[in-house]
Amino acid sequence: MTERRNTWLAWLIGLTALLVLGNLVSDATLPLNYGWDVRVNCAAVDAYADGLDPYFVRNLKGTRFSYPYLPVTLDVFRPVCAGGVLVAHHMGVYLVLAVLCGLLLPGLGRMRTSPRDIALRLLCAFGAFIGFEWVWASGNFAILGGVLTAVALRLLLPPASGAWDRGFALRVGGAALLGLVTSFKLVFCPVIAALYFLPLPRARKLVLIAVAAFGFALPILISRVFYADLFASWLGVMTKQIPDQHAVELMETNPSLLLLARGLLDQVGLGDSKPAMFATYALAALALVLVPFVLSVLRAVGSEPVRAGESLLVRLDRWLIDHPRVAARVTVLAMFALYVSSPRLKEYAFFELAVYAAVLIADLPALALAAMLTVGFLAPGLVSITGHTVEGGFILLIVALACLWILLLDFRAEPMRLEAQDLRS
């Protein structure tokens, strides 16, 4: 039975890998003008170097899109854009960076990472939710966010389940880096709250959350203090105060729960009511993502013996410390859940979601792994390779939610499975 299971699972993994590779080859050979986002970003850096305000599209060469990042990033990205190499060869560079993501990602407490685990993480980085395809085609700097997220997770989650009492300085660096990554796209800052599920004493977890919040706020403060004029222009782009140019906005077409809520309200004639829209969005995020996650964790915590006088929060803290490998999985699950709940989730952002999924996928049992591959890789991959676009719809959101539910169902079925694996090994 085990041999037959391993055989069909290997065939499914191989089929998924072929589809992912076929999609990448197909994308690379299409006669399209790729890299529009990287051209915008590097054109903004060039305009800033020439003494122009890069937040006015008229100052950017060869694009009609506006620059969305904080002013401090103009100096940060200058070495990246130097010489025009990235603009000319971004597809090759992004392939290398995606491989780097898969190699940098940690396991959930294992001392040694098997070649199979590495292969699954690489496959997830390249193929999950077709996020990498969107990053690759657009040249979006979400690829940098993915690499930095992988580094942050490597620092936050140690390779050995017994190492949680050591290396706190590394975790502080990981928290700061995670906060810095969320400052690239401000709507993803709730991901910082997931650090509470780390298997550490509460005081240390709160320190990590505070450090991550500081990492999030620091680029904003630097931009406000040292780039005051450009910061005002950046706010003008964010609030649509610069006329006659593209503006980054929350309601811009994207496959998020917020836009899904607006679409549903449009069907009943309430699409123009913002209070109703945000209320529907909050209910959807709670019902589809946050409440199922919280109930799954509380169910696992409730299975442990209760000590006299313990509050629920104290029991949660103790349970996380007593089960460090499971707590690491819960932490990344929380990051996945909070990320997919974002009110603005562009197609290229699914690459960063795939980075979180890549940490979780390697330890899945056969059936859950097969379900993840089918829903998160094969289904959107087939849509892409057949030439159908997912832009403007909610296919990727539905796929990501389905994968979250697969992960939660696996956790609910065997919350202590990873700890049992430690005992068997």
Side-chain angles (χ1 to χ4, degrees):
M1 180 70 71
T2 302
E3 185 178 345
R4 280 200 308 241
R5 181 194 65 191
N6 291 340
T7 300
W8 70 256
L9 187 58
W11 276 103
L12 181 61
I13 293 172
L15 176 63
T16 306
L18 285 175
L19 178 63
V20 170
L21 179 61
N23 260 327
L24 295 179
V25 172
S26 174
D27 289 344
T29 55
L30 288 175
L32 297 177
N33 189 21
Y34 288 118
W36 52 90
D37 281 347
V38 73
R39 286 196 297 272
V40 171
N41 297 340
C42 289
V45 170
D46 292 340
Y48 172 65
D50 293 336
L52 302 174
D53 189 328
Y55 293 103
F56 286 82
V57 173
R58 65 174 180 267
N59 294 329
L60 307 184
K61 296 179 181 178
T63 182
R64 293 177 297 171
F65 295 107
S66 56
Y67 184 68
Y69 300 108
L70 286 162
V72 67
T73 59
L74 292 162
D75 283 319
V76 173
F77 293 156
R78 186 178 293 191
V80 175
C81 294
V85 175
L86 185 62
V87 174
H89 305 287
H90 89 274
M91 297 187 81
V93 174
Y94 279 26
L95 279 173
V96 174
L97 293 177
V99 171
L100 192 61
C101 279
L103 296 178
L104 286 172
L105 286 169
L108 293 176
R110 291 186 179 182
M111 286 292 293
R112 297 178 181 176
T113 301
S114 69
R116 174 186 176 274
D117 292 348
I118 295 174
L120 283 172
R121 289 179 196 134
L122 287 170
L123 184 59
C124 196
F126 280 109
F129 322 122
I130 60 173
F132 178 72
E133 288 187 51
W134 281 94
V135 169
W136 206 35
S138 65
N140 194 274
F141 277 12
I143 189 75
L144 300 180
V147 174
L148 294 177
T149 298
V151 175
L153 292 174
R154 168 67 71 173
L155 295 174
L156 287 165
L157 307 175
S161 57
W164 284 98
D165 57 343
R166 302 189 298 274
F168 186 68
L170 291 178
R171 293 190 185 86
V172 169
L177 189 56
L178 183 67
L180 185 66
V181 172
T182 59
S183 72
F184 286 176
K185 302 288 185 182
L186 305 183
V187 292
F188 296 126
C189 65
V191 170
I192 292 170
L195 296 177
Y196 191 85
F197 293 100
L198 289 171
L200 296 168
R202 187 186 303 173
R204 289 198 165 194
K205 292 188 291 189
L206 294 178
V207 167
L208 291 181
I209 292 173
V211 168
F214 178 75
F216 169 78
L218 184 61
I220 301 174
L221 293 174
I222 292 174
S223 297
R224 178 68 182 85
V225 173
F226 296 102
Y227 302 81
D229 293 340
L230 291 178
F231 189 77
S233 297
W234 175 77
L235 285 177
V237 171
M238 295 295 108
T239 56
K240 298 189 290 185
Q241 293 179 2
I242 302 178
D244 302 323
Q245 72 174 48
H246 166 260
V248 178
E249 58 177 328
L250 193 61
M251 297 302 171
E252 190 176 9
T253 301
N254 66 87
S256 69
L257 283 171
L258 178 62
L259 270 291
L260 178 60
R262 186 178 71 173
L264 293 174
L265 290 177
D266 281 338
Q267 301 298 317
V268 295
L270 295 175
D272 294 330
S273 173
K274 286 191 176 181
M277 178 181 61
F278 281 101
T280 305
Y281 159 65
L283 287 174
L286 288 170
L288 299 177
V289 180
L290 301 179
V291 169
F293 168 78
V294 171
L295 291 178
S296 298
V297 175
L298 292 180
R299 182 173 181 264
V301 174
S303 65
E304 296 288 303
V306 181
R307 296 179 184 177
E310 273 190 336
S311 66
L312 181 59
L313 198 58
V314 171
R315 288 178 63 192
L316 173 63
D317 291 339
R318 177 170 60 84
W319 180 83
L320 292 169
I321 292 173
D322 290 344
H323 305 93
R325 228 183 130 184
V326 180
R329 186 172 191 84
V330 169
T331 300
V332 183
L333 257 175
M335 292 176 177
F336 189 105
L338 291 167
Y339 198 98
V340 82
S341 302
S342 169
R344 187 176 186 271
L345 196 63
K346 297 290 287 185
E347 287 81 4
Y348 51 74
F350 282 86
F351 173 71
E352 291 183 79
L353 192 65
V355 170
Y356 294 119
V359 179
L360 300 166
I361 195 172
D363 290 300
L364 288 176
L367 288 178
L369 176 56
M372 278 283 288
L373 291 174
T374 302
V375 174
F377 297 67
L378 292 175
L382 287 172
V383 171
S384 175
I385 205 167
T386 53
H388 296 85
T389 181
V390 298
E391 190 173 16
F394 297 99
I395 294 175
L396 295 184
L397 175 64
I398 293 170
V399 164
L401 289 173
C403 287
L404 174 65
W405 297 333
I406 291 169
L407 293 167
L408 287 177
L409 287 172
D410 168 66
F411 175 73
R412 288 174 67 88
E414 292 187 271
M416 298 300 124
R417 173 169 48 80
L418 297 183
E419 301 289 346
Q421 287 178 1
D422 279 344
L423 294 175
R424 287 196 298 269
S425 60

